[in-house]
Structures are given as C-alpha cells and as structure tokens.
C-alpha cells in the first residue's frame, strides 16, 4: 500500500498480485483487512510501522532528492520545514490511541476497485 496526499484530500492505493487461482481469495483478504481497520490497529502493527518510518527517514536522508521531497511536503502542508529530530520525535510519540481515534473519525472505505485478470471476481 502507498498513499498520496494533497492539501484537501488524500488517497491510499493498495496493490495485490496473485495467480488466477488465488485472485478471489486475495481480493477478499485485502477488503477484509481494510474493513478491520475500523476496529483500530494492534500494538505490534504500530511497532512495525514505527520501525518502517524510522528506516525510511534514515535512508531518505542519504538521497538529496528524497530530502528535498520531504522538505517540499513539509512546506506544502505545514508552511515550514521540520528538522530530522522533530520528525523522529513525531514518529516516536505516535500512539495506538492516536491512530484509533483518527480511524474512528475517518473510516477507510474503498471507493474504486480495478481488477485486471483472466476471470471476473466477485466483490464480497
């Protein structure tokens, strides 16, 4: 999954690749996982997310273009540039409660589904 954000909207894109035999099961699992988000996230999921964010932050600093993109996004959304320490502090202070509260107020809902394959699939 990945996301794209603008000032007034955002989108999450999910991609799954599967053989024809497993395509329906893959779609069902993806939609089930998206639906499960309304019940919040687990501490283990949050921990993995934080590790991924910190890793991305570190590797992103190795690329001038990556850091420039980070600063551009900061400027676009915050009208200021955050320091690396400030970003890391934000990652570290994120709690399960923060995410759960956000998900309650902004429930995920698939609005567009594109399926490419040999057989039609059924939406559950």
């Amino acid at each position: 999954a990945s996301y794209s954000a603008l000032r007034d909207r955002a989108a999450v894109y999910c991609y799954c690749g599967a053989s024809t035999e497993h395509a329906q099961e893959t779609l069902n699992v993806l939609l089930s996982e998206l639906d499960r988000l309304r019940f919040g996230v687990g501490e283990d999921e949050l921990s993995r997310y934080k590790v991924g964010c910190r890793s991305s932050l570190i590797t992103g600093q190795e690329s001038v273009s990556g850091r420039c993109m980070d600063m551009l996004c900061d400027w676009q959304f915050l009208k200021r540039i955050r320091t690396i320490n400030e970003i890391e502090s934000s990652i570290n202070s994120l709690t399960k409660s923060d995410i759960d509260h956000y998900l309650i107020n902004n429930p995920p809902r698939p609005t567009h589904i594109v399926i490419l394959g040999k057989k039609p699939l059924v939406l559950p």
Side-chain angles (χ1 to χ4, degrees), residues 87-106:
I87 297 169
E88 189 170 15
S89 177
S90 294
I91 294 168
N92 293 335
S93 67
L94 184 64
T95 67
K96 177 184 177 329
S97 177
D98 294 332
I99 295 172
D100 292 348
H101 179 62
Y102 179 85
L103 290 170
I104 287 169
N105 293 310
N106 303 278

Side-chain angles (χ1 to χ4, degrees), residues 28-75:
N28 294 349
V29 168
L30 172 64
L31 294 176
S32 174
E33 287 298 304
L34 290 172
D35 185 56
R36 189 175 63 84
L37 283 174
R38 66 189 162 107
F39 301 110
V41 298
E43 288 291 344
D44 58 330
E45 291 172 301
L46 176 59
S47 179
R48 285 192 305 273
Y49 175 74
K50 286 182 173 185
V51 167
C53 284
R54 284 192 290 271
S55 297
S56 179
L57 182 64
I58 292 167
T59 58
Q61 300 316 301
E62 296 174 0
S63 159
V64 173
S65 62
R67 181 63 183 137
C68 286
M69 283 303 294
D70 290 344
M71 291 189 305
L72 178 63
C73 288
D74 278 354
W75 188 257

Side-chain angles (χ1 to χ4, degrees), residues 100-119:
D100 292 348
H101 179 62
Y102 179 85
L103 290 170
I104 287 169
N105 293 310
N106 303 278
R109 57 191 184 283
T111 55
H112 302 284
I113 297 174
V114 176
I115 300 168
L116 302 173
K118 294 180 180 181
K119 292 175 20 180

